[in-house]
């Protein structure tokens, strides 16, 4: 095992940071931000469930 962050996790972190940035800048309302974040959580979960 390496110390490198797995690609799906790195992509999730990048997406979550982008959502936070857009929300903080006023581009997203709370409902939209949570919805998009929820989509990314589901995508990450699906990735790891498919590998199991």
């Amino acid at each position: 095992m390496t110390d490198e962050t797995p690609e799906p996790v790195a992509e999730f972190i990048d997406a979550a940071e982008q959502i936070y940035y857009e929300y903080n800048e006023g581009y997203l309302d709370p409902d939209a931000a949570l919805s998009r974040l929820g989509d990314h959580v589901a995508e990450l979960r699906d990735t790891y469930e498919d590998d199991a």
Side-chain angles (χ1 to χ4, degrees):
M1 185 153 185
T2 66
D3 291 337
E4 191 172 310
T5 303
E7 182 72 22
V9 174
E11 290 174 3
F12 171 80
I13 291 169
D14 289 343
E17 287 176 338
Q18 181 64 32
I19 291 167
Y20 177 77
Y21 171 79
E22 290 177 21
Y23 172 76
N24 198 40
E25 292 296 313
Y27 301 134
L28 290 175
D29 66 34
D31 290 333
L34 287 174
S35 177
R36 284 182 50 193
L37 187 57
D39 291 345
H40 291 298
V41 168
E43 185 178 312
L44 182 62
R45 182 182 302 117
D46 290 347
T47 297
Y48 279 96
E49 286 177 353
D50 289 345
D51 289 343

